[in-house]
Amino acid sequence: MKRLVCLVLASLFVVPAAFAQDRYIADKLFTYMHSGPSAQYRIIGSVDAGDKVKLLSSNKETGYSQVQDERGRKGWVESRFVTRQESMATRFPRLEKELAETKDKLANARAISDQEKAGLVDSLETRNRQISEMEEGYSDMSQKLSEAQAEVRNLRAKLDTQKDDLLLKYFMYGGGVAGIGLLLGLILPHIVPRRRRSPNGWA
């Protein structure tokens, strides 16, 4: 018997928890419209939250205001329910629309930013590639210039050597000619016989 009672009590606590789910109170409220400036007057209708009305007069003693709704009905409602600011029921759709437009603009701005970023990345890659190619060309030109300078130095060295060789040859040729002339000058008088002079003094 005790076990049965415990099961019943447990079921009483479990069942409400099983049916409990998150819900929200709707923003569809209303206030009554009276025929006079207090709750003692008869109710002639109601106005919903967010409805646009015209303020006709106010009674500070009773805290009621006379209004006229969009259907032309005139009545009295509590002044605390009459405000200059639109209700959330009216503002929420407009705010939701503005939020959607802002999201679209943000998405477009992000797309444009991504495109510009991609363009900048491509431009940077192109510039880097051009710089790399220019550096390679400069390296090749520097190498060729070094080779050309080395070749010029070698040619100048060969030219200087050839000049030295040519001067040496000229010197040797000149010395040889001078030596031969000296030698001939010494030998020829002994080889060629001298003519005897005649008694008359003629050879």
Side-chain angles (χ1 to χ4, degrees):
M1 183 69 180
K2 291 182 179 180
R3 186 175 180 182
L4 180 61
V5 172
C6 291
L7 290 173
V8 171
L9 291 175
S11 65
L12 290 176
F13 287 105
V14 171
V15 170
F19 282 101
Q21 297 181 2
D22 292 336
R23 291 290 185 272
Y24 300 92
I25 303 299
D27 191 25
K28 192 66 173 177
L29 304 179
F30 67 91
T31 185
Y32 290 112
M33 183 183 292
H34 297 270
S35 60
S38 71
Q40 302 300 325
Y41 290 86
R42 65 183 180 86
I43 297 173
I44 59 174
S46 64
V47 287
D48 295 329
D51 284 351
K52 186 177 181 179
V53 296
K54 290 182 179 180
L55 178 63
L56 302 179
S57 63
S58 296
N59 190 325
K60 295 182 179 180
E61 294 179 359
T62 60
Y64 273 72
S65 296
Q66 187 181 22
V67 296
Q68 181 178 356
D69 63 8
E70 293 181 338
R71 290 186 287 177
R73 298 181 303 170
K74 295 181 180 180
W76 294 81
V77 296
E78 291 185 61
S79 298
R80 62 191 180 95
F81 294 137
V82 181
T83 178
R84 294 176 181 273
Q85 188 177 14
E86 294 178 339
S87 69
M88 285 302 298
T90 304
R91 287 185 293 164
F92 183 75
R94 185 169 63 250
L95 294 175
E96 194 173 31
K97 181 181 178 182
E98 291 177 357
L99 179 61
E101 292 176 352
T102 303
K103 287 182 177 180
D104 291 339
K105 292 179 180 178
L106 180 60
N108 292 333
R110 286 180 177 175
I112 294 172
S113 177
D114 291 340
Q115 291 178 356
E116 292 179 352
K117 182 179 179 181
L120 290 174
V121 170
D122 293 339
S123 178
L124 181 60
E125 291 179 352
T126 303
R127 294 290 177 84
N128 289 335
R129 186 167 57 253
Q130 291 175 351
I131 291 172
S132 179
E133 292 175 354
M134 290 176 65
E135 288 178 348
E136 291 179 358
Y138 176 75
S139 179
D140 293 339
M141 291 176 63
S142 297
Q143 184 177 359
K144 291 180 180 178
L145 179 61
S146 299
E147 293 175 355
Q149 289 176 347
E151 186 176 359
V152 168
R153 285 194 297 269
N154 293 331
L155 291 174
R156 285 180 178 175
K158 289 181 180 180
L159 182 60
D160 292 339
T161 302
Q162 289 178 356
K163 285 181 178 179
D164 293 339
D165 292 342
L166 186 59
L167 289 174
L168 181 60
K169 287 179 180 181
Y170 286 157
F171 181 75
M172 289 178 65
Y173 290 154
V177 170
I180 293 172
L182 181 61
L183 184 61
L184 291 176
L186 294 174
I187 296 174
L188 285 177
H190 296 288
I191 297 175
V192 177
R194 292 183 178 179
R195 293 182 181 180
R196 294 180 181 181
R197 293 182 179 182
S198 61
N200 295 328
W202 295 93

